[in-house]
Amino acid sequence: MKIETNNDTYISNKLITWYQTNRRELPWRETTNPYIIWISEIILQQTRVAQGLDYFNRFVARFPNVQALAEASEDEVLKYWQGLGYYSRARNLHTAAKTIMQQFGGKFPTDYSDVKSLKGIGDYTAAAIVSFAWNKPYAVVDGNVYRVLSRLFAIETPIDTTQGKKVFAELASSLLSHQQAGLHNQAIMELGALQCVPQNPDCTICPLADVCMAYLQQNVSDYPKKQGKIKTRNRYFHYLYIIYKKQTTWIQKRQDDDIWKGLYQFPLIETEQPCEWEALSQMEEWKKVFQGCGKITVQTISPVRKHVLSHQTLYATFYQIEVENTGDLSSNYQQIATDELDSYAVPILIHKYLISLDL
Ligand code: SF4
């Protein structure tokens, strides 16, 4: 599908003029430092600006450059990321910082393909870094850009298909101002964030209203087109907050290629269906956890906490359990003092539970 973009200079000029008076003042916009741009882009991929700003400020205060990030421990990086979700992004940032130190002599690469070779950096982030930092002519395509372009050109191709990705990437490239690539990219993303919002945009004040096909056709809400919803699955987590003599507990680090890899958690039993305590305590896994622990007393069972992720919904229950002996616990899990729990990076779900206990 070839889309005509006769208005390309017109559109780019309009976007940039609009951006210069409407843009938000944000710390990562006042710099051409690729490291700062990189961190801000990764944080903003998963969170709103208002929420991400605090994380960004704390993260760059502690890790102000590639070297500081590369030299930190993964646990500390994850701790600074705690609450943002998508923890693989933090691990990838850490890995990529080490790669920059080892393969690029500590200097952020300037070549698009070198930037894209870094772990966790895809087309979008590489284009954002090289265009914002060095004005290189690579067009960004994020959710905001998909929305703006799909409406501007009334594109019927669904954005969540291989064909859609190709169509939108080509269109974004053809519209890009090569002289002002960084500004153009910032402008179209900002237009999507502030003006061409998902629900009920006020098209009467849009700088592109006169060339926007969806607006002219009065069917803005029909775009962007999507192929279909992604299936989500339900998971049932039973966390065992085991306490010995009021001051010792056990945690484990998540190692598998699954959500929250590298974060800490209480010993966990996962079931495929909802499971009440009576059934849970009859399971082999439960018996294995408490092997040799003597008398076990369940002190509290939390209400089920629902936690929605992009492709799965978790239903978590926390069991606070007193044990008579430590049994095999310290062989299978990491033993710590209960008052140290706060120093480990944990999923926000567990963090909220700990806050509810007022530890
Ligand atoms: S006219 Fe409306 S739909 Fe078209 S780009 Fe502007 S805000 Fe979006």
Side-chain angles (χ1 to χ4, degrees):
M1 177 184 175
K2 181 91 183 99
I3 292 156
E4 292 300 325
T5 57
N6 297 333
N7 292 321
D8 48 4
T9 322
Y10 178 81
I11 288 174
S12 188
N13 290 343
K14 280 269 191 175
L15 279 170
I16 292 171
T17 307
W18 173 88
Y19 179 66
Q20 281 163 337
T21 46
N22 291 280
R23 62 185 226 145
R24 293 164 292 180
E25 299 293 330
L26 297 167
W28 49 84
R29 292 224 171 113
E30 312 309 321
T31 180
T32 51
N33 178 337
Y35 173 76
I36 299 294
I37 295 165
W38 174 41
I39 301 298
S40 70
E41 285 303 327
I42 300 294
I43 288 178
L44 291 181
Q45 274 169 33
Q46 60 206 42
T47 183
R48 292 172 174 278
V49 167
Q51 213 189 343
L53 195 54
D54 275 353
Y55 279 95
F56 169 81
N57 286 332
R58 269 187 283 132
F59 199 89
V60 297
R62 169 61 190 89
F63 313 112
N65 49 45
V66 173
Q67 186 175 356
L69 180 57
E71 287 174 356
S73 70
E74 183 180 280
D75 280 357
E76 191 183 9
V77 175
L78 289 173
K79 188 68 189 162
Y80 273 78
W81 203 262
Q82 181 173 295
L84 269 174
Y86 299 95
Y87 293 90
S88 60
R89 293 183 182 169
R91 286 194 305 276
N92 290 342
L93 275 178
H94 192 218
T95 305
K98 289 195 238 175
T99 306
I100 296 173
M101 294 308 293
Q102 288 156 11
Q103 291 179 18
F104 297 96
K107 201 168 169 308
F108 209 100
T110 57
D111 184 71
Y112 175 83
S113 51
D114 285 341
V115 173
K116 222 185 114 177
S117 74
L118 296 168
K119 193 134 193 228
I121 297 191
D123 294 336
Y124 164 78
T125 312
I129 292 170
V130 301
S131 69
F132 300 169
W134 302 291
N135 209 29
K136 294 198 175 189
Y138 289 88
V140 294
V141 188
D142 72 345
N144 287 325
V145 176
Y146 275 121
R147 189 166 56 255
V148 172
L149 294 182
S150 69
R151 289 172 174 173
L152 261 181
F153 296 93
I155 300 172
E156 299 297 324
T157 316
I159 59 171
D160 54 348
T161 57
T162 313
Q163 176 65 6
K165 286 185 177 43
K166 191 164 169 272
V167 166
F168 281 88
E170 284 171 4
L171 178 56
S173 267
S174 72
L175 289 172
L176 185 70
S177 159
H178 283 218
Q179 290 70 41
Q180 302 188 87
L183 261 184
H184 172 106
N185 277 338
Q186 301 255 25
I188 192 165
M189 288 163 67
E190 193 77 333
L191 189 90
L194 300 182
Q195 165 61 42
C196 192
V197 292
Q199 306 297 332
N200 306 318
D202 181 0
C203 298
T204 60
I205 56 163
C206 178
L208 300 176
D210 58 337
V211 289
C212 177
M213 285 180 61
Y215 178 50
L216 298 172
Q217 292 170 183
Q218 296 292 304
N219 62 350
V220 168
S221 60
D222 289 350
Y223 301 96
K225 300 279 185 196
K226 282 195 181 160
Q227 188 175 54
K229 288 197 168 153
I230 304 161
K231 272 196 182 164
T232 61
R233 69 170 171 140
N234 294 334
R235 301 175 73 177
Y236 302 88
F237 282 8
H238 308 271
Y239 287 115
L240 310 175
Y241 177 25
I242 305 166
I243 301 167
Y244 175 65
K245 295 204 164 161
K246 297 197 188 321
Q247 54 191 12
T248 299
T249 190
W250 288 266
I251 55 175
Q252 64 183 155
K253 192 170 190 170
R254 288 181 70 88
Q255 306 286 8
D256 296 339
D257 274 334
D258 192 359
I259 54 168
W260 302 333
K261 186 176 176 188
L263 296 192
Y264 288 84
Q265 64 183 11
F266 295 121
L268 169 70
I269 297 176
E270 180 175 350
T271 56
E272 287 181 3
Q273 300 295 331
C275 182
E276 297 292 330
W277 134 253
E278 289 81 6
L280 192 73
S281 63
Q282 297 306 312
M283 290 176 66
E284 280 310 308
E285 278 175 275
W286 173 281
K287 289 175 187 162
K288 201 168 153 224
V289 172
F290 292 105
Q291 180 80 28
C293 291
K295 185 167 179 249
I296 60 173
T297 313
V298 178
Q299 295 180 320
T300 58
I301 302 177
S302 77
V304 176
R305 289 168 184 250
K306 185 175 172 186
H307 190 78
V308 180
L309 299 169
S310 52
H311 300 150
Q312 43 191 298
T313 302
L314 312 181
Y315 295 89
T317 311
F318 292 84
Y319 300 80
Q320 192 172 334
I321 299 164
E322 184 78 35
V323 289
E324 186 184 19
N325 304 310
T326 59
D328 291 347
L329 286 165
S330 298
S331 318
N332 298 329
Y333 303 99
Q334 184 176 336
Q335 178 180 326
I336 62 164
T338 51
D339 59 9
E340 282 172 9
L341 271 169
D342 194 38
S343 60
Y344 289 86
V346 295
I348 200 69
L349 174 67
I350 295 181
H351 183 66
K352 284 184 183 162
Y353 168 71
L354 293 174
I355 287 175
S356 76
L357 294 179
D358 201 19
L359 281 176

